[in-house]
Amino acid sequence: MQLMFVMPHTMELAALTQPWELTVSGADQTWMAKRAEELGYSLLAVPEHFVVPRTHVELTGPHYFHSTVAQAYLAGATRSIRLNTCATLLPVQHPIVMAKALATADWMSGGRIGVTFGIGWDAEEFRMLGVPFHERGRMADEYLAAIIELWTSESPSFEGKYVSFDNVAFQPKPVQRPHIPIWIGGDADRALERAARFSCGWMPFLTQPDDFPARIDFIKSQPTYDGRPFEVVYGLGTSLIGEGHVVNDDPTQRPGMSAGEIIDKLGRFGELGVTTSSVPIPPVQDASAYLDYAQWVIEEIAPAV
């Protein structure tokens, strides 16, 4: 199992954020990304929202990055660790611009960029951005097809309801072939069908771990799934976040568990099909203490999972 380093203060989510994270700055994150790479973590992932309605701030928090900008910055601060997202809100961003941003980051980082696309859940955020919320799934399917066309074709051409282009050039292409790895976030059947068609990975959110095998079988049973290698990404602590970011009580995924508890839980995740996970940020004192904890995870947890 690969382990993802959870970067402090990429969000201020009520269910997971520790009070000490609020003091972490961008300069601190640069230093921490370099240290995570030195320790041997496989990847970093950045969440994304553009605006948070005041009605949601108490649970969701106001602090989010543009995920691709943050990925590119962290890629520039490191040399080998992979950069992903959790998740990039696809329907609210023009697919040509999105394709260009990710291809640029991949080219400049030497092929270390991945992306997890989600269709979003906050209707108010979509309204403020002028994007039809109830069309977001159809938009995402079209945008994904258009992005892949731009990344892979020497003469890109696409005709759709939401985006069309022809007689264009698109460079640089991503370094990675056939293109930047795409994961899909979400739990509904349509999200899983989207994953089967377009992606090499799935990031569940509300799905319970015991249900993963059946949902993975559903993905792989789709006619658009071609047998490609497939990742399942689920961080320890995810079950503490409910729909609408409500706070759930799940003592089996709490921050600060013992080594034995973490190893048992991650081992169980692996049995259920999870290929990449993470350990939640613990209730320590500061960034230095967290990096000590991150080293403990690599030394004590990683060899067992």
Side-chain angles (χ1 to χ4, degrees):
M1 179 180 289
Q2 296 188 95
L3 286 178
M4 177 170 58
F5 178 80
V6 183
M7 179 64 74
H9 208 194
T10 57
M11 57 184 177
E12 297 174 2
L13 196 66
L16 283 177
T17 301
Q18 299 294 335
W20 68 267
E21 291 185 59
L22 304 182
T23 66
V24 171
S25 67
D28 294 330
Q29 290 178 339
T30 304
W31 157 56
M32 298 174 89
K34 292 177 178 180
R35 182 60 179 148
E37 181 174 78
E38 291 172 357
L39 289 171
Y41 281 88
S42 298
L43 75 159
L44 302 168
V46 184
E48 177 175 87
H49 278 289
F50 291 96
V51 290
V52 178
R54 284 291 175 189
T55 52
H56 298 164
V57 167
E58 181 179 358
L59 294 175
T60 299
H63 178 93
Y64 290 88
F65 300 135
H66 186 299
S67 62
T68 312
V69 174
Q71 281 181 285
Y73 176 82
L74 292 170
T78 55
R79 294 190 175 188
S80 60
I81 197 167
R82 293 191 58 80
L83 293 308
N84 210 297
T85 64
C86 57
T88 296
L89 299 178
L90 179 57
V92 301
Q93 303 179 75
H94 195 286
I96 296 175
V97 178
M98 185 84 264
K100 176 64 73 172
L102 287 164
T104 299
D106 195 62
W107 188 87
M108 296 190 78
S109 69
R112 291 191 285 129
I113 300 297
V115 61
T116 303
F117 283 128
I119 66 167
W121 62 271
D122 192 335
E124 292 183 67
E125 184 175 18
F126 274 68
R127 179 181 59 79
M128 294 175 192
L129 293 168
V131 177
F133 182 73
H134 295 293
E135 296 181 43
R136 69 195 191 284
R138 294 188 295 274
M139 294 175 73
D141 289 340
E142 193 171 293
Y143 284 10
L144 280 160
I147 287 169
I148 292 171
E149 173 70 7
L150 289 164
W151 282 347
T152 59
S153 175
E154 292 305 316
S155 300
S157 177
F158 190 85
E159 183 69 31
K161 175 181 178 181
Y162 303 103
V163 59
S164 299
F165 49 83
D166 195 11
N167 296 316
V168 298
F170 182 92
Q171 296 283 351
K173 302 294 188 190
V175 170
Q176 298 175 87
R177 295 290 184 268
H179 54 71
I180 291 169
I182 295 170
W183 297 343
I184 297 295
D187 302 276
D189 285 356
R190 287 291 296 118
L192 274 59
E193 291 166 1
R194 189 171 298 118
R197 178 181 174 190
F198 293 109
S199 84
C200 60
W202 172 47
M203 184 179 287
F205 173 44
L206 298 174
T207 303
Q208 293 302 304
D210 285 344
D211 295 327
F212 289 172
R215 301 305 275 161
I216 296 167
D217 286 346
F218 179 83
I219 291 170
K220 294 183 176 181
S221 71
Q222 300 304 305
T224 53
Y225 177 71
D226 58 7
R228 72 193 86 98
F230 202 83
E231 304 286 335
V232 178
V233 188
Y234 184 81
L236 184 59
T238 302
S239 69
L240 299 174
I241 313 165
E243 189 168 6
H245 291 167
V246 299
V247 180
N248 288 336
D249 180 21
D250 184 352
T252 70
Q253 293 200 29
R254 71 186 187 281
M257 292 190 294
S258 69
E261 289 174 312
I262 295 171
I263 290 167
D264 287 348
K265 182 57 66 173
L266 293 183
R268 177 58 177 160
F269 286 175
E271 293 171 355
L272 295 170
V274 175
T275 59
T276 298
S277 191
S278 60
V279 177
I281 294 173
V284 293
Q285 293 299 313
D286 55 27
S288 293
Y290 176 52
L291 288 180
D292 290 342
Y293 180 86
Q295 181 173 345
W296 173 79
V297 169
I298 289 295
E299 292 175 351
E300 299 293 329
I301 307 300
V305 299

